[in-house]
Amino acid sequence: MIKTGEREAKQTRHAGGSPGLDVARIREDFPILQLRRDGKPLVYLDNAATSQKPRQVIEALRNYYETQNANVHRAVHHLSQIATDAYEQARLKVKHFINSPLSCQVIFTRGATEGINLVAHSYGRQYVGPGDEVIVSAMEHHSNIVPWQMLCEEKGAALRVAPINDAGELIFEEFEKLLCRHTRLVAITHVSNALGTINPIRKIVEAAHRYCIPVLVDGAQSAPHLPINVQELDCDFFVCSGHKMFGPTGIGVLYGKAALLESMAPFLGGGDMILSVTFEKTTYNTLPYKFEAGTPHIEGVIGLGVAIDYLAEVGMDKIAAYEHELTEYGMQVLSDIGGVRMIGTSKEKAGVLSFTMDCAHPHDIGQVLDHEGIAIRAGHHCAQPVMQRFGVPATARASLAFYNTKEELDALGTALYRVKEVFE
Amino acid sequence: MSSNNRALYEQVILEHNKHPRNFREMEAPDGQAEGYNPLCGDQFSIYIKYNGDIIEHVTFNGCGCAISKSSASVMTTLLKGKTRKDAEALFVKFHNMITSSPETPLDERDLGKLAVFGGVREYPVRIKCATLAWHTMLAALDGKKVTVSTE
Ligand SMILES: Cc1ncc(COP(=O)(O)O)c(C=O)c1O
C-alpha cells in the first residue's frame, strides 16, 4: 500500500504524465504474485474469474480471528462490540466506495449472484406478474439470466433480450424498443465478463426511467476496475462480488434505492432480520438488517472493507486509467499475432481480452499457456449466449487487474507464438 | 515447450488433431450419436456402419480441443472390422487406462495406439475431453440417434 509519506513524491511523478501507478510497489503487496512455476514467474491473467488479495486483506482476516472474533449485533460483551463496530465500519467504507446516499442501503450478500437472486426473489415476486416483462442483454453472465428466467417461468412473465452487435456492444436502439409498459425491470451488466464491453449505464437508466422501470446493474466486473458512483448512475440496484475486488470469497454487496428496498419483502428469514417474533406475527427489522438473516460472513465483510481501503488509497481513477492503457496494449499484442480473432472489440472496453485462434482450441491454448506460468481462462465464461452470438464454442480469455504489467502481456504474446508452433 | 506439455501433446495427438482420420459425416449410418461437453463446448457426432455383426466403418465430425479431436480420430481407426463386443471391450480398456493413476505404468503392448493418451492422466480436467468420443461411440453402437453429455 502506498504510505502517506510517499504520496507527495508519487503525485509529482503523476504530474509529469507517467502512468500514475507504482505497479512494482503494488505487486509487492500481493504475496501470490511472487510465486513461480517451474522457475517461471506466475503471470496471473484470470482476474475476471477472481482477483488476488493484498497482504493487508490477508492480515485483516487473521487479525479478526486473533483479536476480534465474536458474533455481531447480539451480545453486550466487549468482543461482540468490537466485531460489530468493525462490521459496520466496513459497511460505511462500501457506502463511500460506491457513493451510496446512506449506509443502510448497503446490504451484504454472498456475492453478485446472491444479490441478483435477492432482487429476483424480493422485488420480482412482488412486482412481476403474468404478462409482465424483464429485460436483460445478450451479454449477461448466467447469474444475470437464470434468476430472471426462473422468475418469469414462475410468474408467467417473459424475458426479453436486448441484442448486441459484432463488436459486442449493446444495440441501444433495439434495447429502447423493448422498453414498454409491461416491463418491470431491466437487469444489465456494467462490464461484460466475456467481452469486456462497458455498457452506457447512465443512458440505459435514463431510458428505462422514462417508463418508470427500475434498473439492476451487475457490477461484478466494474466495481474492481472503474470508479462507481451509484447516485450518478442513478441505477436502482447495484450488485458486486468481494472476491473480484481483491477481497475474500463469499462476500458481496447489494445496493438498492431506499424506497424500493423498504417496499420489498425479506429474502431469507431468520435471526437478525427481525424486530420481534411471536408464533402469530413477526415484525421485520429495518434496513439493511431486514435482508441480512443469520450470522453474516463477518470476516469476509471486514476483509472487503480492507480491500476497499486499499483500492481507495491507490485510487480508482488511476486504476481505471492504467488498466485502460494495459487493455489497449494487450489488444495490440494480440492483434499482431496472425490467426488470432478478438471477441469483443467494443469502443468502451475494460480489461477483458477474449480471443480464439485458428490453429488451436481455447482449451489447448490455456494448457500451453499454463506451462509457461500464464494463467488464463478457457471456456464459455458462464456466458453461453455470448458464445452462441459469436458462433464459437468457447474463447480464451486474459483478464487484467491493476497489478498486471505490459511485460506480462508481452509474455502472453510470446506464449501464443509458442501455441502456434505446437499446433500449426 | 516444457517437458510436461510434450507429454500431454504427444506427436501422434498433434498429428491426428491436424489431420483427423475418418473426419466426415456418414450418409445413412446404422448407428449415430452426438456427444457434447457443455463445459468446453466440445461437440462430436459419431457414425457407424455395420456389415452384419462387424463394424464396417466409423466416421466422426464436429469440433473440440486437440485432445478430444485426436482421441476421436484414433478411435475411428481402431474400430474398423471389430464386433460390437470388441468395441465395448476397447472402450473399457481405454477408460480404465485414462482414469488410472498417473503413476500406474502403461502396458504399451496391450494398449497400442491408445497409450499416447497416457499423459492425459496428469490433467484431470482433460479426461472428459479424451473420453467424449468414446462415450458417444458407445451410444452410437446401439444404433439409436442419441445425445450424450459429459455433465
Ligand atoms: C458479470 C458477472 N456477473 C456476475 C458474476 C457472478 O459473480 P459471483 O460468482 O461472485 O456471484 C460474475 C462472475 O464471474 C460476473 O463476471
Side-chain angles (χ1 to χ4, degrees):
Chain A
M1 174 122 31
I2 300 150
K3 302 221 173 63
T4 331
E6 278 152 17
R7 263 210 216 126
E8 252 176 31
K10 279 191 70 68
Q11 268 161 8
T12 23
R13 238 181 301 148
H14 304 153
S18 64
L21 284 193
D22 189 347
V23 178
R25 200 51 221 286
I26 285 169
R27 291 179 68 86
E28 285 173 16
D29 286 333
F30 289 79
I32 213 167
L33 297 180
Q34 321 309 322
L35 285 184
R36 300 179 79 80
R37 186 184 159 108
D38 294 339
K40 293 170 189 141
L42 168 68
V43 175
Y44 187 75
L45 297 174
D46 195 14
N47 293 287
T50 199
S51 61
Q52 300 303 344
K53 322 303 172 198
R55 181 173 286 115
Q56 289 81 346
V57 168
I58 300 166
E59 279 168 5
L61 300 183
R62 184 190 171 92
N63 180 52
Y64 169 72
Y65 280 117
E66 289 186 350
T67 68
Q68 302 175 306
N69 178 47
N71 211 329
V72 291
H73 307 129
R74 288 193 186 174
V76 292
H77 61 74
H78 181 62
L79 268 185
S80 176
Q81 196 51 52
I82 288 179
T84 305
D85 287 348
Y87 184 84
E88 292 303 329
Q89 200 59 38
R91 198 189 306 275
L92 208 58
K93 291 174 185 179
V94 176
K95 166 196 179 304
H96 291 306
F97 189 71
I98 63 172
N99 195 30
S100 164
L102 301 169
S103 56
C104 70
Q105 290 168 267
V106 172
I107 292 152
F108 289 117
T109 63
R110 279 196 301 140
T113 301
E114 189 175 276
I116 296 168
N117 276 277
L118 189 157
V119 175
H121 183 98
S122 296
Y123 169 86
R125 289 211 166 58
Q126 206 156 324
Y127 291 101
V128 178
D132 287 343
E133 298 179 359
V134 173
I135 298 175
V136 296
S137 85
M139 68 177 97
E140 299 309 313
H141 187 278
H142 294 165
S143 61
N144 201 24
I145 301 174
V146 182
W148 307 117
Q149 257 170 353
M150 290 163 69
L151 174 71
C152 288
E153 196 155 307
E154 182 186 317
K155 293 293 190 175
L159 191 66
R160 297 274 178 254
V161 183
I164 56 178
N165 64 21
D166 290 342
E169 295 162 327
L170 180 76
I171 306 173
F172 192 79
E173 305 72 54
E174 296 298 320
F175 159 73
E176 262 188 317
K177 281 187 210 158
L178 292 177
L179 296 167
C180 69
R181 63 193 176 82
H182 300 294
T183 315
R184 289 292 162 267
L185 185 82
V186 173
I188 191 156
T189 195
H190 197 173
V191 170
S192 156
N193 71 310
L195 300 165
T197 309
I198 304 176
N199 275 318
I201 296 298
R202 187 70 203 90
K203 225 170 115 187
I204 289 167
V205 170
E206 254 172 33
H209 281 184
R210 259 177 250 132
Y211 293 79
C212 298
I213 301 163
V215 178
L216 175 142
V217 174
D218 174 356
Q221 298 293 346
S222 63
H225 306 290
L226 303 172
I228 301 296
N229 184 335
V230 290
Q231 294 190 64
E232 208 172 274
L233 293 174
D234 201 23
C235 57
D236 301 271
F237 299 106
F238 183 93
V239 300
C240 56
S241 286
H243 71 96
K244 295 185 201 282
M245 302 165 66
F246 317 97
T249 55
I251 191 68
V253 168
L254 163 68
Y255 156 84
K257 285 203 175 146
L260 266 171
L261 291 174
E262 297 278 10
S263 77
M264 285 156 48
F267 178 39
L268 301 174
D272 288 338
M273 55 77 70
I274 48 85
L275 281 180
S276 69
V277 176
T278 66
F279 284 110
E280 288 69 42
K281 183 166 171 56
T282 292
T283 313
Y284 301 132
N285 205 337
T286 52
L287 289 179
Y289 309 109
K290 181 169 94 176
F291 292 108
E292 292 182 1
T295 299
H297 184 13
I298 304 168
E299 87 273 23
V301 166
I302 292 170
L304 175 60
V306 173
I308 281 175
D309 283 343
Y310 189 92
L311 287 172
E313 178 120 32
V314 176
M316 287 311 293
D317 286 321
K318 283 185 203 158
I319 287 175
Y322 175 67
E323 289 186 10
H324 181 69
E325 192 182 313
L326 268 189
T327 304
E328 304 232 299
Y329 186 81
M331 290 290 277
Q332 197 56 52
V333 167
L334 290 174
S335 40
D336 283 349
I337 304 169
V340 168
R341 175 188 172 201
M342 295 305 304
I343 308 283
T345 49
S346 162
K347 274 197 283 300
E348 297 293 326
K349 189 173 161 74
V352 175
L353 308 171
S354 231
F355 61 96
T356 58
M357 289 176 88
D358 293 341
C359 66
H361 186 280
H363 242 158
D364 297 316
I365 299 172
Q367 193 89 59
V368 173
L369 261 47
D370 178 53
H371 282 291
E372 300 298 324
I374 302 174
I376 63 153
R377 175 139 174 223
H380 53 58
H381 319 298
C382 298
Q384 285 180 349
V386 173
M387 301 298 117
Q388 286 149 18
R389 168 65 180 74
F390 286 90
V392 293
T395 72
R397 180 188 72 182
S399 52
L400 313 176
F402 64 107
Y403 43 59
N404 288 127
T405 63
K406 289 185 182 169
E407 290 72 32
E408 289 180 311
L409 291 169
D410 289 336
L412 171 68
T414 307
L416 291 177
Y417 278 108
R418 201 138 305 157
V419 171
K420 287 178 69 153
E421 267 168 47
V422 176
F423 293 101
E424 249 174 16
Chain B
M1 190 167 40
S2 74
S3 56
N4 272 341
N5 243 325
R6 207 169 291 133
L8 177 64
Y9 294 116
E10 289 268 2
Q11 214 44 52
V12 177
I13 292 181
L14 292 174
E15 204 274 325
H16 272 265
N17 177 49
K18 222 188 287 180
H19 307 290
R21 318 295 197 273
N22 307 308
F23 190 57
R24 60 186 170 272
E25 198 177 330
M26 186 189 287
E27 268 183 42
D30 298 316
Q32 176 182 351
E34 192 176 301
Y36 183 46
N37 180 346
L39 232 50
C40 41
D42 290 358
Q43 196 155 14
F44 289 105
S45 289
I46 307 277
Y47 309 91
I48 300 181
K49 187 153 228 89
Y50 290 105
N51 182 0
D53 282 345
I54 304 292
I55 296 172
E56 189 173 55
H57 212 49
V58 183
T59 68
F60 80 107
N61 66 359
C63 66
C65 65
I67 302 297
S68 61
K69 194 171 187 180
S70 60
S71 175
S73 173
V74 168
M75 180 188 79
T76 62
T77 66
L78 295 176
L79 292 175
K80 236 183 193 169
K82 298 273 195 303
T83 64
R84 183 180 301 208
K85 274 224 151 48
D86 294 337
E88 283 166 0
L90 208 56
F91 170 87
V92 171
K93 185 185 288 185
F94 182 70
H95 195 263
N96 286 347
M97 181 276 284
I98 205 100
T99 53
S100 66
S101 131
E103 281 82 51
T104 316
L106 294 173
D107 184 348
E108 300 207 9
R109 262 191 41 215
D110 180 46
L111 286 165
K113 264 198 221 167
L114 295 178
V116 298
F117 294 98
V120 178
R121 298 179 302 172
E122 304 264 7
Y123 304 88
V125 293
R126 304 305 295 273
I127 290 174
K128 279 182 185 163
C129 306
T131 53
L132 177 61
W134 286 87
H135 282 287
T136 312
M137 179 276 291
L138 264 197
L141 279 179
D142 292 336
K144 288 172 282 181
K145 191 176 169 185
V146 288
T147 302
V148 296
S149 171
T150 56
E151 297 308 305

